[in-house]
Structure formats: structure tokens, C-alpha cells
Amino acid sequence: MAGHIEDYALIGDLQTAALVTRDGSVDWLCLPRFDSPSCFAALLGDQRHGHWRLAPTGGDYRVERAYRPGTLVLETRWEGPHGAVRVTDFMPQREHEPRLIRIVTGLRGAVELSGELRLRFNYGRVVPWVRRTDHHRVAVAGPDAAWLRVPPGVHTFGQDGATRSEFTVRAGEVLPFTLTWQPSHRTGTRRVDPEQELRETTARWQGWSDGCRYQGPWRDAVLRSLITLKALAYAPTGGIVAAPSAALPEVLGGERNWDYRYCWLRDSSMTLSALLRGGFREEAAAWRRWLLRAIAGDPGDLQAVYGVAGERGLPETEASWLPGYADSAPVRFGNAAVGQLQLDVYGEVVDTLHLAWAAGVPMERQVWGLLKALMAYLAEHWREPDEGLWEVRGRRQHFTHSKVMCWVAADRAVRLAEATGLPAPVEQWRAMRAAVHADVCANGYDASQGVFVQAYGGRELDAAALFVAKTGFLPPDDPRVRRTVAAVREGLDHGGYVRRYRADAPDGLAGQEGAFVACSFWLADALATIGEPAQARELFARTVRLGNDLGLLSEEWDPLTGRQLGNTPQAFSHVALVNAAFTLAGQG
């Protein structure tokens, strides 16, 4: 049985990531990439579907955990009546095969521990053959092989389809365990020094974190969010995934279970904006190169989501053999959002290109050509309905947020052309900017309520309407903006936090989800923008506290049960935290 979503910690190597529970079990790991099939899938079922637990046996132990400062190195400490032990979990940033390293350190007395490694490839479906060779246990099935190396003196044995171990660690002893993945046709695996890998991994993360330029009162939360966002970037290509997990439910026991291990242009654009504000330019340059490769071709074929290497085909399938987290079915892998039209994506991409240029990333000729091609397509199609920001699985509509982001695309394109002097149809872009603005004000605004609504001709509220202030579409002192902020705050309240839209609003799916974490940060950002800093700070601080003991945020929060919901950790949530923190601190 999987732990609570908020019980999971994240470790990763900038190419994939693992989720680790408070009781020392790795319940989710996809190898060798974020979007590869998992070898541990207990997260979406139980131990039979694959996990690796390493923890004290029996006794009454108090558990504490924390990341090493400025890193993604996890340290879990067990304190018991007869001793104390620490398990350090991390994945070295790699040039070769991926490794998960777990170092057991005796701190006090003597502690008995047990290990259980149950590898199940292809999302918990395939049981490997296991053999012993030269201090390793090697598990092989199809294209996958995993090599477990244990310290001398620790005996492993097979039982009930798992590799088990039982051992005692005493104060001062250090026992490293290493799990390495590689293609099954390779023979042998490189040996590494786990403690040297730990020193290098710690130094790399801390060196990166030293570049954070946020100096406000929420530095710890901002830096943890930026580290999390960095961890979601696929280093070989620059693509950024929305979350490392798949099929964690937005409604417990419901059908809203999506695979987020892919690169949404919207989410990755927002992630880049947060990293840029935090002072990190290298990721922006890498993502821009990924973007050029991913969307090469006809701008009309632009997708909302791609694979980490720019793959276009991400067929959505259902894993009937997995019961799902808390029996939330179906479990889906792949994502059908590939086929949706989401016009807001154009605005997010152009806005990020503008932010990157403003941060000092040069505007290359190829990038400028891409921007002009995107704008040419958008000029012809911005009047069309789409599926929108929330990827509704119903009929297409004229979503107000999508139109506002079309305005953002035109506005930022004009600004770039004016600032750089590069050749462009600036007058056409200015005309488009004015036309979209007039269209939104006429059709996305409900005069009877005095607020901007979710879609043209409707009356439903949508937290995305807060972007009329965040993007500069209207000045913050405009009465329409202030009324919209107040309406979202009151009309979409759910236990003191903010829903995306009303719980009973039709979106093509069954079940009522929780409060959307990013929307609560958006509201805090909007309150600060319209001149209500005290209320903004209170909401911001309260929403930050929704994070787990490590500061990690999932997609949603259920105020009724006090539980995190949805995929975790969620880039959207951490991006919104970073941006709101900068707004509140009056920085960049």
C-alpha cells in the first residue's frame, strides 16, 4: 500500500527521478528516463509492483528527514531506544548509466535493518530473472538489467520474488548499497565509490544553488522550489517535465489520473520564467534549443506537449494490471493532450523568449525566425476555440485565458521587435494586439457580474482570469481587475484555498477535485499586484505550508482531508510559489 502523497521525497539525476517514502521505501522509479517504464511501481499499487525498502526492523523508531542544504540529497534518520541510523539516498548526475545509491551510516548504538528489493519492470508487470555474480545481484528482463551491489558482510537472499537482506549497523559503520540500470545486452557494470559520488553530487547541487539571486523572506521555500524545478529538467536535451510521476489522482478513487512525465510547452515555459527570475540562465538556453528541435516544421502542427527529446507521439494507454493509487483507476500512461489545441501555449512560449532575451540570452537568428513563424500562425487562428489551459475533455470553447495569452504573444513580440530592431511585421503585430484586447474586453468580460469569466458567453469564474493582472493585459488599478480578483477569492474558495473553477462546472470528467495549489499562489500574486500586500502575504504563507516536511508540493490540496492530491512534485505549483515570492519581495 502506497504512502500518502505528501509522504514522498524526490531524488533524481537530471534525467529521471525516484520517489521515496518516510519509511525508507523507493516506490517509484523510471529508468533510464523520466518517461521510461518504471522498475518500481508500488506508488500505483502495492509492494508486488516493485519497490526497494531499506529501514530498521521492529522497535519504536522516530523518523526525521531532510535534504542536505542546497541539494537533492535526502537524509533519513531513525532514532530508537538502542541506537540511531541514517540512510542517505541520492542519484549521481551522470554521464553513463543511472545509479540509485543508498548509504547506511551507524550513528549510535547498534541498529538491525532489513532490505527488500523487488524489481518489476514495465510498470510492475514483468518479473525479472535474478542471478548472483561477483558481489552483485543481477535482475534481467527483456531490454532491462539492474545490478545491485551490497557492501561486504551483508548477505542477500531470494524470497517471495524479492532480494532480501538482514544486517546490523553499529556506530561509525558506513554501508553503501548501489543499484545500477543498463541495457540487458551489456555484460558487467562499472564500479563506483559511493562516498566519492556523494561528495561530488553534494558539491554539484550546492554549486548550482549558490547562483540563486532571491533574497526575500521565503528564501528556503524559493530555493527548494528552484532545486525541484531544476530536477525536472532532462539534462541531455533541455526539456522540462511537468512532474516525475504518473496517474496520481486529483480525486481519490476517481478517474482524473494523468501522466505528467512529459514536456508541456506551457509548464516548461513557466518553469523557465521562474528559473530566470531566480538567476539561472543556462537552463533557458538549453530549453530554447530543445524548443527549436521539438517544434521544427509547420507552426500549425505545434503540440501542447512533447516527449523529453521532442517526441510527438505519446499515445495514452491504460494499465489494467495496476489498481492505481488508493484504487484510483484507470492508471494512464501517455497523454492524449497531444492532440488538443491550446492557444495559450503560443503566449507562454513567446513570453519566455522575451524573458530570456531580457535576462541576457542572445536572440539568435533561428530563434527569431521561429518566433515570426509562430506569430504568423497565431495571427490567422487566434479567433478559434480551443481546449484551453485546463485541457478540458469536452467541446472546444473561446476560453478567456487563451485569448489573453494570444494578446501576450503579440505584446511580447512587439516589444522584442522594438527593442532589438530585428526585421518583423511590427504593425501587423500591433494591430493583432489591439484586436485581441478589444475582443477579450468585449466577450470575456461579463458586465452583469463586473468580472472576467472563464469563456466567452459564459458566467463561470476561472482562476486563470487572474492573468489579466499578472500579464499586464490591464493595469492593476483597473476596476475590472480588482473585481475579478475579489470574485475569484470569494467564488472559488475551497477551505481557504482556490479551486481552478467551480466544483460543479462541466469539464467532461467525473468527480470533484481539490483546491489547485498554483491558483492559490496566483491569487497571492494578484493581491500583491493590486496593492493588498498583507492579505497576499497571509495567503502565500498559508499555501507554502501545504508543502510536506521537505517543502514539496503536489498539484492539488484537499482541505477536507488535509491531503495532497495529484502528481508530485508538481512544476506548476513550485513555479507559482517562486513567482509569487518575487512579486511579494518586490524583486525582478
Side-chain angles (χ1 to χ4, degrees), residues 153-192:
V154 173
H155 174 64
T156 61
F157 57 96
Q159 184 180 61
D160 298 330
T163 298
R164 299 179 185 271
S165 58
E166 296 174 353
F167 57 97
T168 299
V169 63
R170 294 172 173 81
E173 290 184 327
V174 178
L175 303 177
F177 296 74
T178 302
L179 184 68
T180 304
W181 178 94
Q182 62 185 26
S184 60
H185 64 270
R186 294 185 184 171
T187 58
T189 184
R190 291 188 313 115
R191 293 188 182 183
V192 298

Side-chain angles (χ1 to χ4, degrees), residues 466 469-470 476 481 485 521-532 536 583:
L466 297 169
K470 287 171 58 65
V481 172
V485 173
F521 285 123
W522 293 350
L523 179 57
D525 197 320
L527 287 168
T529 300
I530 67 172
E532 298 183 15
T583 299

Side-chain angles (χ1 to χ4, degrees), residues 324-339:
Y325 178 91
D327 294 322
S328 304
V331 170
R332 297 183 180 91
F333 299 124
N335 202 294
V338 162

Side-chain angles (χ1 to χ4, degrees), residues 64-69 73-77 224 549-550:
E64 294 180 350
R65 61 181 181 170
Y67 287 114
R68 286 191 174 185
V73 175
L74 177 69
E75 296 184 328
T76 304
R77 180 185 177 112
R224 179 49 52 196
D549 56 317
L550 299 169

Side-chain angles (χ1 to χ4, degrees), residues 380-547:
E380 295 295 322
H381 296 277
W382 69 264
R383 294 176 177 83
E384 297 177 8
D386 70 343
E387 277 89 1
L389 167 70
W390 303 128
E391 300 180 347
V392 296
R393 299 209 170 189
R395 65 181 179 86
R396 290 182 176 180
Q397 301 181 60
H398 291 280
F399 288 104
T400 301
H401 171 263
S402 294
K403 307 303 186 190
V404 168
M405 295 310 297
C406 290
W407 175 88
V408 168
D411 179 71
R412 304 318 189 251
V414 168
R415 293 191 199 184
L416 277 169
E418 292 173 343
T420 63
L422 292 169
V426 181
E427 288 305 319
Q428 179 185 343
W429 292 349
R430 289 194 184 107
M432 175 186 165
R433 180 174 63 179
V436 176
H437 198 280
D439 188 67
V440 170
C441 291
N443 299 299
Y445 179 75
D446 180 12
S448 65
Q449 299 182 82
V451 300
F452 287 92
V453 292
Q454 183 179 62
Y456 287 10
R459 292 179 55 81
E460 295 289 346
L461 292 172
D462 191 319
L466 297 169
F467 278 74
V468 297
K470 287 171 58 65
T471 59
F473 180 84
L474 287 173
D477 59 354
D478 188 295
R480 292 168 294 180
V481 172
R482 300 186 67 86
R483 286 194 297 267
T484 299
V485 173
V488 167
R489 184 180 187 185
E490 180 179 350
L492 297 182
D493 177 81
H494 184 35
Y497 303 98
V498 183
R499 296 185 187 273
R500 296 190 284 185
Y501 38 74
R502 280 196 310 111
D504 58 352
D507 60 6
L509 296 166
Q512 295 186 2
E513 59 187 22
F516 206 77
V517 174
C519 295
S520 298
F521 285 123
W522 293 350
L523 179 57
D525 197 320
L527 287 168
T529 300
I530 67 172
E532 298 183 15
Q535 296 179 50
R537 284 193 293 269
E538 189 278 331
L539 176 58
F540 179 87
R542 194 155 35 84
T543 308
V544 167
R545 290 195 292 270
L546 299 183

Side-chain angles (χ1 to χ4, degrees), residues 51 64 116 126 153 162 303 431 477 562:
H51 78 131
E64 294 180 350
E116 179 176 291
V126 176
Q303 295 181 178
D477 59 354

